[in-house]
Amino acid sequence: MLKFSGQPAVPNNVQTSLQSLVDNAGLLSPQLRDLLSFVRTHESVHLFVQVLDSGTGAHGNTGTYVSLPEAPTGTLVEEAFLSGPALLLGRHEAFVKVTVEAGPGSSPAEAATTLLHELELHAAPAVLLLQRLALTAEGDDARLGLVLDRLRRTDEHTDLDRQEQYVRSAARIRAAAQDSATAGWAAALLNRVGQDATEQFAAYEAKSPDKDEASPARVQWLIALIAGVGRAGPDAVADRPRPGPRKARARAAAVSGLDPAGLLARRLTERVGMLDAVDEARAVFGLPVGTVLDLYCRQLVPALLAQAPGHGLDDVVQQVVFLKYHGVPDLVALDAVDAAGTASPPAVAVAGSWPPAGLPVFWLSNRERGSWTQLTGLPEALQRARGIEHGSLLYLDGQMYKAAVRDTKPDRDLQTTRFFPHTATGAFVALVKQ
């Protein structure tokens, strides 16, 4: 099912702009058109597009959910994978929800750009996942493998194929609107899409953990493609060869002589992220994903958590931070802490890497945790600490901060930095989140 809805307070010209984009679905990328056809004909997979009058300007987000049949709410696919994989294996409904916030100040072309961005970059791969899940038999571990592969993907903003389709779709809409009443809107849409694609791709490519030496060439190729379709239409090609694909993500060094539990324990010690560790164990030992998940979440993580009190980490926040430091996702860490004490820790050997090497560790008090920010003051624990030097790094409640130290308080604080008196030294200290 495909459903489009908008709040009554959304300006009429914005509603009309977004409806025009939906009406032009036949001009979207071939893959997205095929997926929309699947959604329209498959009773358990849905795509909802909702337009809200909130926020300032136009912003969007896309979420992918699964639920029991006819349940009133859904669970994010990532949360289901981490905490309730049985929901993915069994009979379920699934939906992709695209939300566009078109608040005060948003223009029709800006809102349409936001919706096209969400559909081409985010909704298309999300619906593709749901299509593959729907076509895989219930109970088949391959469903969990599909979700694992999806969660390990590179950020969609750095997917050159999706960015190309995003730009070409806007170009097709402009070409179809020439000499019509919507020609100006379509031209503005293509111009904004080109700007958005360039800015988003360049920004995410620069900070991507998978960045490689070909990254600048990928950015330049996309810029050239945008210029080409702007001059010659949706089928134009860039004036340079397209760069090759990213290099495959490097795995941690191979280990020998370990069983699955030993491999996962080693990766926890090395603070390798859970998804990468599970994927490696699946590949090395040929195990079902569900088996590896169970081993990781029900044996390795509880065994690691049992070491936290020995480090003086007794409250929930400290223990969750301890697990997250070792690569355990939030939800798995919370589940493990909630279940602690209900059974004896598994007898699995796993060595922790706490505390962070070379970093002083501080904790907020229970009173501070509800309201403290780096702009409200220095935490009590930090006030008593000596050895805080200008430029030094510290670990506070699971977040990394850099200290700025001055002998006197500056006449003016920056918007994101504020200096406060430091009791132990008499200096003035500001914390900057890293």
Side-chain angles (χ1 to χ4, degrees), residues 245-283:
R246 286 178 176 274
K247 293 180 179 178
R249 183 184 300 180
R251 289 191 184 275
V255 293
S256 59
L258 296 177
D259 61 8
L263 175 61
L264 294 175
R266 173 75 64 88
R267 297 311 182 217
L268 278 169
T269 302
E270 296 169 345
R271 302 173 55 218
V272 173
M274 172 185 168
L275 297 178
D276 288 340
V278 169
D279 179 65
E280 182 183 10
R282 166 183 66 164

Coordinates of all heavy atoms in Angstrom, one line a residue, residues 245-283:
P245 N 34.1 1.5 -7.8 CA 33.5 1.3 -6.5 C 34.4 1.5 -5.3 O 35.7 1.4 -5.5 CB 32.9 -0.1 -6.5 CG 33.7 -0.8 -7.4 CD 34.2 0.2 -8.5
R246 N 33.9 1.7 -4.1 CA 34.7 1.8 -3.0 C 35.5 0.5 -2.7 O 34.9 -0.6 -3.1 CB 33.9 2.1 -1.7 CG 33.4 3.5 -1.6 CD 32.5 3.5 -0.3 NE 32.0 4.9 -0.1 CZ 32.7 5.8 0.6 NH1 33.9 5.4 1.1 NH2 32.3 7.0 0.8
K247 N 36.6 0.6 -2.1 CA 37.2 -0.7 -1.7 C 36.4 -1.3 -0.6 O 35.7 -0.7 0.2 CB 38.6 -0.3 -1.1 CG 39.6 0.2 -2.2 CD 41.0 0.5 -1.5 CE 41.9 1.0 -2.6 NZ 43.3 1.3 -2.0
A248 N 36.4 -2.6 -0.6 CA 35.7 -3.4 0.4 C 36.2 -3.0 1.8 O 37.4 -2.8 2.0 CB 35.8 -4.9 0.2
R249 N 35.3 -3.0 2.8 CA 35.7 -2.6 4.2 C 36.7 -3.7 4.7 O 36.4 -4.9 4.6 CB 34.5 -2.6 5.1 CG 34.8 -2.2 6.5 CD 33.6 -2.2 7.4 NE 32.6 -1.3 6.9 CZ 31.4 -1.2 7.4 NH1 31.1 -1.9 8.5 NH2 30.5 -0.3 7.0
A250 N 37.8 -3.3 5.2 CA 38.8 -4.2 5.7 C 38.4 -4.9 7.0 O 37.8 -4.3 7.8 CB 40.1 -3.5 5.9
R251 N 38.5 -6.2 7.0 CA 38.2 -6.9 8.2 C 39.4 -6.8 9.2 O 40.5 -6.5 8.9 CB 38.0 -8.4 7.9 CG 36.7 -8.7 7.2 CD 36.5 -10.2 7.2 NE 35.3 -10.6 6.4 CZ 34.1 -10.6 6.9 NH1 33.9 -10.2 8.2 NH2 33.1 -11.0 6.2
A252 N 39.1 -7.1 10.5 CA 40.2 -7.2 11.5 C 41.1 -8.4 11.0 O 40.7 -9.3 10.3 CB 39.6 -7.5 12.8
A253 N 42.3 -8.4 11.5 CA 43.2 -9.4 11.2 C 42.7 -10.8 11.5 O 42.1 -11.0 12.6 CB 44.5 -9.2 11.9
A254 N 42.9 -11.7 10.6 CA 42.3 -13.1 10.8 C 43.0 -13.7 12.0 O 44.2 -13.5 12.3 CB 42.6 -13.9 9.5
V255 N 42.2 -14.6 12.7 CA 42.8 -15.3 13.8 C 42.6 -16.8 13.5 O 41.6 -17.2 12.9 CB 42.1 -14.9 15.1 CG1 42.4 -13.5 15.5 CG2 40.6 -15.1 15.0
S256 N 43.4 -17.6 14.1 CA 43.3 -19.1 13.9 C 43.2 -19.7 15.3 O 43.7 -19.1 16.3 CB 44.5 -19.6 13.1 OG 45.7 -19.3 13.8
G257 N 42.7 -20.9 15.3 CA 42.6 -21.7 16.5 C 41.5 -21.2 17.5 O 41.5 -21.7 18.7
L258 N 40.6 -20.4 17.0 CA 39.5 -20.0 17.9 C 38.2 -20.6 17.4 O 37.9 -20.8 16.2 CB 39.4 -18.4 17.8 CG 40.6 -17.6 18.4 CD1 40.3 -16.1 18.2 CD2 40.8 -18.0 19.9
D259 N 37.3 -20.9 18.4 CA 36.0 -21.3 18.0 C 35.1 -20.0 17.9 O 35.6 -18.9 18.1 CB 35.4 -22.2 19.1 CG 35.3 -21.6 20.5 OD1 35.6 -20.4 20.6 OD2 35.1 -22.4 21.4
P260 N 33.8 -20.1 17.6 CA 33.0 -18.9 17.4 C 33.0 -18.0 18.7 O 33.1 -16.8 18.6 CB 31.6 -19.4 17.1 CG 31.9 -20.7 16.4 CD 33.1 -21.3 17.1
A261 N 32.9 -18.6 19.8 CA 32.9 -17.8 21.1 C 34.2 -17.1 21.3 O 34.3 -15.9 21.7 CB 32.5 -18.7 22.3
G262 N 35.3 -17.8 21.0 CA 36.6 -17.2 21.1 C 36.8 -16.0 20.2 O 37.4 -15.0 20.5
L263 N 36.3 -16.2 18.9 CA 36.4 -15.1 17.9 C 35.7 -13.9 18.4 O 36.2 -12.7 18.4 CB 36.0 -15.5 16.6 CG 35.9 -14.5 15.5 CD1 37.3 -13.9 15.2 CD2 35.3 -15.0 14.2
L264 N 34.4 -14.1 18.8 CA 33.6 -12.9 19.3 C 34.2 -12.3 20.5 O 34.2 -11.1 20.7 CB 32.2 -13.4 19.5 CG 31.4 -13.9 18.3 CD1 30.0 -14.4 18.7 CD2 31.2 -12.7 17.3
A265 N 34.7 -13.1 21.4 CA 35.4 -12.6 22.6 C 36.6 -11.7 22.2 O 36.8 -10.6 22.8 CB 35.8 -13.7 23.5
R266 N 37.4 -12.2 21.3 CA 38.5 -11.4 20.8 C 38.1 -10.1 20.2 O 38.7 -9.0 20.5 CB 39.3 -12.2 19.7 CG 40.4 -11.5 19.0 CD 41.7 -11.3 19.9 NE 42.2 -12.6 20.2 CZ 43.1 -13.2 19.5 NH1 43.5 -12.7 18.4 NH2 43.6 -14.4 19.9
R267 N 37.0 -10.1 19.4 CA 36.6 -8.8 18.8 C 36.0 -7.9 19.9 O 36.1 -6.6 19.7 CB 35.5 -9.1 17.8 CG 36.1 -9.9 16.6 CD 37.4 -9.4 16.0 NE 37.9 -10.1 14.9 CZ 39.1 -10.4 14.7 NH1 40.1 -9.9 15.5 NH2 39.5 -11.0 13.6
L268 N 35.4 -8.4 20.9 CA 34.9 -7.5 22.0 C 36.1 -6.9 22.7 O 36.1 -5.7 23.0 CB 34.1 -8.3 23.0 CG 32.7 -8.5 22.7 CD1 32.0 -9.5 23.7 CD2 31.9 -7.2 22.8
T269 N 37.2 -7.6 22.9 CA 38.4 -7.1 23.5 C 39.0 -6.0 22.7 O 39.5 -5.0 23.1 CB 39.4 -8.2 23.8 OG1 38.9 -9.2 24.6 CG2 40.7 -7.6 24.4
E270 N 38.9 -6.2 21.3 CA 39.5 -5.2 20.4 C 38.5 -4.1 20.1 O 38.8 -3.2 19.3 CB 39.8 -5.9 19.1 CG 40.9 -7.0 19.3 CD 41.1 -7.9 18.0 OE1 40.2 -7.9 17.2 OE2 42.1 -8.5 18.0
R271 N 37.3 -4.1 20.7 CA 36.3 -3.1 20.6 C 35.8 -3.0 19.1 O 35.5 -1.9 18.6 CB 36.8 -1.7 21.1 CG 37.3 -1.8 22.5 CD 38.0 -0.5 22.9 NE 37.1 0.6 22.7 CZ 37.5 1.8 22.2 NH1 38.8 2.0 22.0 NH2 36.7 2.8 22.0
V272 N 35.7 -4.1 18.5 CA 35.1 -4.2 17.1 C 33.6 -4.1 17.2 O 33.0 -4.7 18.1 CB 35.5 -5.5 16.4 CG1 34.8 -5.6 15.1 CG2 37.0 -5.5 16.2
G273 N 32.9 -3.3 16.4 CA 31.5 -3.2 16.4 C 30.8 -4.5 16.3 O 31.2 -5.4 15.6
M274 N 29.6 -4.6 16.9 CA 28.9 -5.9 17.0 C 28.6 -6.4 15.6 O 28.7 -7.6 15.3 CB 27.6 -5.7 17.8 CG 26.7 -6.9 17.7 SD 25.1 -6.6 18.5 CE 24.2 -8.0 18.0
L275 N 28.1 -5.5 14.7 CA 27.6 -5.9 13.4 C 28.8 -6.5 12.6 O 28.6 -7.6 11.9 CB 27.0 -4.8 12.6 CG 25.7 -4.2 13.2 CD1 25.2 -3.0 12.4 CD2 24.6 -5.2 13.4
D276 N 30.0 -5.9 12.7 CA 31.1 -6.4 12.0 C 31.6 -7.8 12.6 O 32.0 -8.7 11.9 CB 32.3 -5.4 12.0 CG 32.0 -4.2 11.1 OD1 31.2 -4.3 10.2 OD2 32.7 -3.2 11.3
A277 N 31.5 -7.9 13.9 CA 31.9 -9.1 14.6 C 31.0 -10.3 14.2 O 31.4 -11.4 13.9 CB 32.0 -8.9 16.1
V278 N 29.7 -10.0 14.2 CA 28.7 -11.0 13.8 C 28.9 -11.4 12.4 O 28.8 -12.6 12.1 CB 27.3 -10.5 14.1 CG1 26.2 -11.5 13.5 CG2 27.0 -10.4 15.6
D279 N 29.1 -10.5 11.5 CA 29.3 -10.8 10.1 C 30.5 -11.6 9.9 O 30.5 -12.6 9.1 CB 29.4 -9.5 9.3 CG 29.6 -9.8 7.8 OD1 28.7 -10.3 7.2 OD2 30.7 -9.4 7.3
E280 N 31.6 -11.3 10.6 CA 32.8 -12.1 10.5 C 32.6 -13.5 10.9 O 33.0 -14.5 10.3 CB 34.0 -11.5 11.3 CG 35.3 -12.2 11.1 CD 36.4 -11.6 12.0 OE1 36.1 -10.7 12.8 OE2 37.5 -12.0 11.8
A281 N 32.0 -13.7 12.1 CA 31.8 -15.1 12.6 C 30.9 -15.9 11.7 O 31.1 -17.1 11.5 CB 31.1 -15.0 14.0
R282 N 29.9 -15.2 11.1 CA 29.0 -15.9 10.1 C 29.8 -16.4 8.9 O 29.7 -17.5 8.5 CB 27.9 -14.9 9.6 CG 27.2 -15.4 8.4 CD 26.2 -14.4 7.8 NE 26.7 -13.1 7.4 CZ 26.1 -12.3 6.6 NH1 24.8 -12.5 6.3 NH2 26.6 -11.1 6.2
A283 N 30.7 -15.5 8.4 CA 31.5 -15.9 7.3 C 32.6 -16.9 7.6 O 32.8 -17.9 6.8 CB 32.2 -14.6 6.7

